[in-house]
Each structure stands twice: as structure tokens, then as C-alpha cells.
Amino acid sequence: MSANQKILVVDDEHDIVDLISYNLTKEGYQVYQAHNGKEGIEVAKQVNPDLIILDVMMPEMDGIEACRLMRSMPEFKHTFMVFLTARSEEYSEIAGFNVGADDYIAKPIKPRALMSRINAILRRNTAEAEISTGDKLEIMDLVIDRDSFLVYRDSDKITLAKKEFELLYLLASKPNKVFTREQILKAIWEDSVVVTNRTIDVHIRKLREKIGENYVSTVKGVGYKFELN
């Protein structure tokens, strides 16, 4: 990976920070450290990292609050943020995605798996640049044409309902990013009071019936993502 890419590791366990930093440095990343949420925000302001790895449970300010605050700052709106935690409760994962996390990695740390996940997340920038051509997304074997509201798979035309198309376009515009149901509702249905989470699930089911099962995956209890293989 590029030596210009910067990663900030924020965790109150110094041995964890050292382990992650060592492996990231071996991969060629510029690595910065902090040991609580407040310090993490200050360091992030100074170095403007491409990706921030945040522990959930930390003194002074936890990772959830730090992520929420940084997502409210313009300079971090597009920074990748990954939560790192030993907690396995589903509500903790949901809280992380709800404040803008891009991924979630559980302790204990497995360096090879961690590096694979980090590399994949940072490759998303390149993938997003490559798939966008004006009002068309070209991703995997799909061409998603926003002008005509048509989808082509290996040159075969697929006709979708308007909301199904908008849902696919949203997910495919940021491959491998998890969109919460709340984010999808806001983006596709805006402030409609009659739309529920069940509405999203029905549209996802219909979308899969038309384009195939292998594109949109479910993140249990959180939402959906376009799976970039």
C-alpha cells in the first residue's frame, strides 16, 4: 500500500496499539497513536488520517462518542473509521454503525486478518473512483445507468422499480460500506412517515430476485451492503 496513507490507532491498551502499529508499519502505512477518544480527536486534527481504528471502551471518551464527534466535523466526513473491541454484544455493533463506522473488528487481534480487512477498506477509495463514470456505475458484472433507470448484467437488461433502482445505486456507490436502515430510509425515502424497516427488507428481497443473490448482503441487526468480491 501507499506510504502516503495514514492510519491513526486509538486504544487505551498500549500492547494492542503497539501490535497493530507494528503490523501496519510493516505494510508501509504511516501510523499514529492515541490512547483515549479525546486524544484521538486531537491527533486526528493534526495528521488528517485516511483511516482511524477506534477501540469502543476507553477512559475519558469512548470510541462511539469520538466517532460521533468526528463525523460531525467536515474534515472527517469521508475518513474511514473502524471499531475495535472485545465486546460482542449486538447493540454495541449497531451503535458503532449508527454513528458512522465503516467496519467492526473484534478482539483478540489476528494480525493477518486485520491487515487484510484494513487493506480492503482503503482499497475502497480506488474502487469507488473506478466504478463511477458520470451517471453510470460499472461494478463487477453490473452496469447501473442512472439516466435510464436500467441495470445491465453481462449485457442483459434488468428493469427495476424506481425505489429498487435507487436502493441498488446507493449501495453500489460505496461498495462494502454498511448502510444502516436509518441511513437508507433517509437517503431513499427521506422524511416519509409511512415507511418502515420492513419496507426496506421487502425492496431488498425484490432486488435480489431481479439481479441475483450475490450482490447485496445483510449485516444482521444493522443494515445492508453491496458485496464487492
Side-chain angles (χ1 to χ4, degrees), residues 81-135:
M81 298 196 191
V82 177
F83 277 109
L84 181 70
T85 181
R87 298 179 66 177
S88 58
E89 295 92 336
E90 187 176 272
Y91 76 85
S92 180
E93 184 170 343
I94 293 171
F97 284 121
N98 281 340
V99 296
D102 292 286
D103 209 339
Y104 206 95
I105 299 172
K107 296 176 181 177
I109 301 300
K110 297 178 180 178
R112 185 174 298 177
L114 176 68
M115 293 306 107
S116 176
R117 187 83 65 89
I118 296 303
N119 290 339
I121 291 169
L122 286 170
R123 280 199 300 269
R124 190 184 301 166
N125 270 340
T126 303
E128 290 174 12
E130 289 176 348
I131 64 174
S132 181
T133 56
D135 285 329

Side-chain angles (χ1 to χ4, degrees), residues 109-176:
I109 301 300
K110 297 178 180 178
R112 185 174 298 177
L114 176 68
M115 293 306 107
S116 176
R117 187 83 65 89
I118 296 303
N119 290 339
I121 291 169
L122 286 170
R123 280 199 300 269
R124 190 184 301 166
N125 270 340
T126 303
E128 290 174 12
E130 289 176 348
I131 64 174
S132 181
T133 56
D135 285 329
K136 289 184 180 179
L137 295 180
E138 298 181 17
I139 182 167
M140 294 171 62
D141 57 351
L142 298 179
V143 176
I144 307 169
D145 189 335
R146 197 165 195 171
D147 284 336
S148 64
F149 275 78
L150 290 173
V151 177
Y152 299 87
R153 184 181 60 214
D154 292 331
S155 299
D156 295 327
K157 183 171 70 175
I158 303 171
T159 302
L160 302 177
K162 185 173 184 292
K163 292 300 185 185
E164 294 167 3
F165 180 90
E166 290 176 350
L167 180 55
L168 176 61
Y169 194 95
L170 174 69
L171 298 175
S173 68
K174 294 188 178 295
N176 289 331

Side-chain angles (χ1 to χ4, degrees), residues 22-61:
Y22 171 75
N23 283 278
L24 289 171
T25 301
K26 281 177 59 180
E27 289 286 313
Y29 294 110
Q30 297 181 45
V31 184
Y32 302 85
Q33 300 181 0
H35 298 98
N36 61 64
K38 287 184 178 179
E39 183 184 357
I41 292 174
E42 292 306 312
V43 175
K45 288 178 178 178
Q46 295 170 17
V47 304
N48 190 26
D50 298 283
L51 182 145
I52 302 173
I53 300 173
L54 285 161
D55 187 30
V56 170
M57 300 300 295
M58 293 184 291
E60 294 192 51
M61 180 186 292

